[in-house]
Amino acid sequence: MRISLLIKNISKHITLSPEEISVVETFWTEKTFEKDEYLLRNGDICRFDSYVVSGVLKAFYINSENGNEEIIYFAVDDWWATDINSFSKQKPSMYNIQAVEKTTVLQINYHSFQKLLKEIPSLERFFRIILENYLGALQKRIIDSKVYDAEYRYYDFLITYPNIASKVPQYLIASYLGVSAEFISRIRKKNKSS
């Protein structure tokens, strides 16, 4: 199991004793999802918090008005993927999480997660930091969508998330940004010709 990658991620924010590391290691299971396989479907309860070891996941919902897939977020190596609301409240999810390519994750179920936090209280701080980072990125995305034009948002995405931009097809980036794939093609052509 590649639990050492998770321990390294946690250790960026808090210090765990060797004994705590041994405890953490017992709570996670490794699972691999093939391309297009779902980790979570709309309407199901999110039973697991997932840490991405390798691969790419997309979280999305289907727009009921036009039938289009609307990307909420991507998760790549060393990122987290879950429906926070569904997982924390154990209620049905409003969106899907699906593998864009073959993806390996480490997962912990809801009850084990609660037990882990009781056994190692410092992990509460770690997961608070992860949530703060996520909420900060979400706030930035909301403001950017209201203040900046699509071209600016595209280039900002490339600069902010180069590891995602290099692994995710352009049409999915277009969905994330709320523009058409053709729009991104025009921006890229314009950039090549200048």
Side-chain angles (χ1 to χ4, degrees):
M1 191 188 306
R2 292 172 269 193
I3 194 76
S4 62
L5 297 171
L6 173 61
I7 299 300
K8 187 176 177 184
N9 181 282
I10 293 170
S11 298
K12 291 177 191 174
H13 304 287
I14 64 169
T15 302
L16 295 173
S17 70
E19 295 78 18
E20 289 173 328
I21 289 172
S22 294
V23 170
V24 168
E25 291 174 346
T26 66
F27 279 88
W28 298 82
T29 56
E30 185 173 311
K31 186 165 183 184
T32 298
F33 293 87
E34 296 300 323
K35 180 180 179 182
D36 297 329
E37 193 175 349
Y38 284 83
L39 278 74
L40 176 66
R41 286 187 183 268
N42 173 26
D44 291 347
I45 294 172
C46 184
R47 305 281 183 201
F48 297 95
D49 193 5
S50 298
Y51 169 76
V52 181
V53 173
S54 63
V56 181
L57 301 171
K58 64 179 179 179
F60 68 96
Y61 68 95
I62 302 297
N63 184 318
S64 60
E65 291 182 14
N66 59 24
N68 290 341
E69 185 178 281
E70 307 282 347
I71 303 291
I72 301 165
Y73 66 81
F74 298 105
V76 295
D77 305 8
D78 201 33
W79 285 42
W80 294 84
T82 193
D83 177 335
I84 295 167
N85 194 46
S86 176
F87 183 73
S88 65
K89 295 179 179 168
Q90 288 296 280
K91 66 181 212 174
S93 176
M94 296 187 302
Y95 59 85
N96 306 281
I97 302 176
Q98 184 181 33
V100 174
E101 63 183 33
K102 186 174 182 178
T103 301
T104 299
V105 297
L106 296 175
Q107 294 186 313
I108 187 168
N109 71 44
Y110 174 78
H111 298 292
S112 293
F113 182 76
Q114 298 306 318
K115 185 177 177 190
L116 178 63
L117 295 181
K118 283 181 184 171
E119 288 193 31
I120 307 175
S122 63
L123 284 173
E124 289 268 4
R125 180 173 185 271
F126 169 73
F127 285 103
R128 177 181 53 80
I129 291 167
I130 297 300
L131 281 173
E132 287 171 352
N133 291 340
Y134 173 72
L135 287 173
L138 186 60
Q139 286 176 328
K140 179 184 183 312
R141 183 175 178 200
I142 291 168
I143 292 168
D144 286 355
S145 71
K146 296 189 177 299
V147 174
Y148 298 109
D149 66 20
E151 186 169 353
Y152 173 89
R153 293 195 321 269
Y154 174 68
Y155 286 119
D156 184 59
F157 180 88
L158 297 180
I159 291 165
T160 306
Y161 304 112
N163 52 344
I164 295 175
S166 67
K167 295 179 88 172
V168 172
Q170 292 295 311
Y171 76 93
L172 290 179
I173 294 172
S175 171
Y176 176 84
L177 296 172
V179 300
S180 68
E182 294 76 21
F183 179 82
I184 289 185
S185 292
R186 285 196 301 273
I187 293 173
R188 295 176 79 200
K189 284 179 187 170
K190 183 175 92 171
N191 191 37
K192 285 180 184 175
S193 63
S194 51

